[in-house]
């Protein structure tokens, strides 16, 4: 038996509890893992609260991230004792995830824990940090360089934004952080932001083309924020889009793309193949100071605290990352 956050649903609605689960109930997979840490992401908050139909089958263990030790494996890449990391792949939605003391997964979903980080640090990074690294890689691979000008990071106090600020600053970029939390200026500058702007400058409908400012953008917000970011991006600049905290709508014109050659780069972290995943973790190992993880991933909770934390996360009451010690 092991402890897990378990979501069930019937005709009367959704229920969530920390339950004792028999190992025989674990879903199919070729690698069984003793989980050390998981995280609470926005998607996990949606799943636990039932605010959005994230969960596709019931019962479900949420948790789109985990790190742990392989207990049993019939997969060629993994053996007992290996330390592995999981981000995405639909776990917590269609396959049991990481908010449990044990997990059974497809070995193709896993990557090794890089030497630069401890298991806890890997979860302070989590899907949010790994997504931020994918965004930075997308911009750099597109040809964006520090000498081209300022890079905007929206949603900068969130998990993706926080790590993106730190990675970009370490790579030599001048970073401008957009946030609705003026009180977090010191936090963002500690991560490496050179300047802060109010998110309200970007969050309302604007002109199709605006004054050129950004060499590049990392956007986790979507909606009007993404539209305005594109409208303000310099000639042949690039925008990496990975989130929808403001909304999934994109009421834009083609003007930035056909008159300025702006590139809109979609970044998906869930189904990304292994090569970009490994590259993203290598960027994190190279450019993310582990000391900053105590700032970014400073909130640690136990498994029993995840259910009330989900509502706080969706309400924007939590800064940065939430690490879950599934064994307490």
């Amino acid at each position: 038996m092991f402890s897990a956050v378990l979501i069930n649903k019937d005709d009367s609605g959704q229920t969530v509890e920390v339950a004792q689960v028999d190992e025989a109930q674990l879903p199919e997979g070729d690698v069984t893992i003793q989980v050390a840490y998981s995280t609470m992401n926005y998607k996990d908050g949606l799943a636990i609260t039932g605010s959005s139909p994230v969960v596709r089958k019931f019962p479900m263990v949420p948790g789109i991230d985990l790190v742990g030790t392989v207990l049993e494996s019939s997969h060629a890449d993994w053996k007992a004792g290996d330390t592995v990391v999981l981000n995405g792949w639909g776990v917590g939605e269609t396959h049991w995830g990481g908010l449990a003391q044990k997990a059974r997964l497809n070995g193709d979903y896993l990557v090794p824990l890089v030497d630069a980080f401890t298991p806890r640090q890997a979860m302070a990074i989590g899907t949010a940090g790994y997504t931020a690294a994918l965004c930075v890689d997308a911009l750099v691979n597109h040809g964006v360089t520090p000498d081209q000008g300022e890079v905007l990071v929206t949603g900068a106090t969130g998990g993706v934004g926080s790590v993106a600020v730190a990675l970009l600053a370490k790579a030599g970029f001048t970073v401008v952080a957009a946030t609705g939390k003026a009180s977090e200026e010191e936090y963002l500058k500690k991560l490496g932001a050179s300047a802060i702007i109010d998110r309200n400058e970007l969050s309302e409908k604007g002109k199709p083309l605006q004054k050129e400012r950004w060499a590049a953008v990392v956007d986790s917000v979507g909606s009007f924020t993404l539209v305005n970011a594109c409208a303000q991006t310099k000639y042949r600049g690039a925008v990496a889009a990975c989130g929808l905290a403001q909304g999934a709508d994109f009421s834009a014109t083609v003007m930035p793309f056909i008159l300025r050659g702006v590139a809109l780069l979609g970044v998906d972290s869930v189904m990304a193949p292994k090569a970009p995943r490994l590259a993203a973790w290598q960027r994190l190992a190279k450019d993310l100071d582990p000391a900053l993880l105590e700032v970014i991933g400073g909130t640690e909770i136990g498994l029993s605290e995840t259910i009330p934390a989900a509502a706080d996360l969706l309400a924007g009451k939590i800064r940065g990352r939430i690490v879950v010690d599934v064994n307490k």
Side-chain angles (χ1 to χ4, degrees), residues 150-154 174 176-178 197 202 214 216-219 229 232:
E150 296 175 313
V151 177
L152 172 69
V153 176
T154 66
T174 301
V176 177
I197 64 170
L202 299 162
W214 317 116
V217 179
V218 173
D219 176 68
Q232 295 174 12

Side-chain angles (χ1 to χ4, degrees), residues 181-202:
K181 302 173 183 175
S183 60
E184 299 289 15
E185 181 172 352
E186 181 182 351
Y187 165 74
L188 290 167
K189 290 193 170 177
K190 188 178 293 186
L191 296 180
S194 298
I196 314 297
I197 64 170
D198 192 305
R199 69 182 178 196
N200 289 332
E201 293 183 30
L202 299 162

Side-chain angles (χ1 to χ4, degrees), residues 10-82:
D10 58 24
D11 292 342
S12 61
Q14 177 172 300
T15 61
V16 189
E17 63 177 336
V18 177
Q20 288 296 300
V21 179
D22 193 308
E23 188 172 327
Q25 294 177 254
L26 284 169
E28 291 184 2
D30 49 15
V31 182
T32 303
I33 300 163
Q34 183 73 51
V35 181
Y37 293 95
S38 185
T39 64
M40 279 282 292
N41 290 280
Y42 193 80
K43 188 177 286 186
D44 300 320
L46 293 174
I48 290 171
T49 61
S51 302
S52 182
V54 169
V55 177
R56 310 296 174 83
K57 57 171 23 173
F58 297 90
M60 180 56 61
V61 174
I64 67 173
D65 292 323
L66 67 81
V67 62
T69 304
V70 174
L71 294 173
E72 298 176 8
S73 172
S74 59
H75 191 284
D77 290 350
W78 310 109
K79 64 183 185 304
D82 288 343

Side-chain angles (χ1 to χ4, degrees), residues 52-137:
S52 182
V54 169
V55 177
R56 310 296 174 83
K57 57 171 23 173
F58 297 90
M60 180 56 61
V61 174
I64 67 173
D65 292 323
L66 67 81
V67 62
T69 304
V70 174
L71 294 173
E72 298 176 8
S73 172
S74 59
H75 191 284
D77 290 350
W78 310 109
K79 64 183 185 304
D82 288 343
T83 304
V84 293
V85 175
L86 168 87
N87 306 114
W89 289 114
V91 298
E93 301 173 68
T94 59
H95 190 97
W96 283 17
L99 288 173
Q101 292 173 324
K102 288 187 179 180
R104 184 171 291 137
L105 299 161
N106 182 334
D108 291 342
Y109 296 169
L110 306 171
V111 296
L113 175 67
V114 294
D115 292 340
F117 303 119
T118 66
R120 187 195 182 283
Q121 288 171 334
M123 288 298 96
I125 296 167
T127 282
Y130 143 70
T131 302
L134 288 174
C135 289
V136 175
D137 278 348

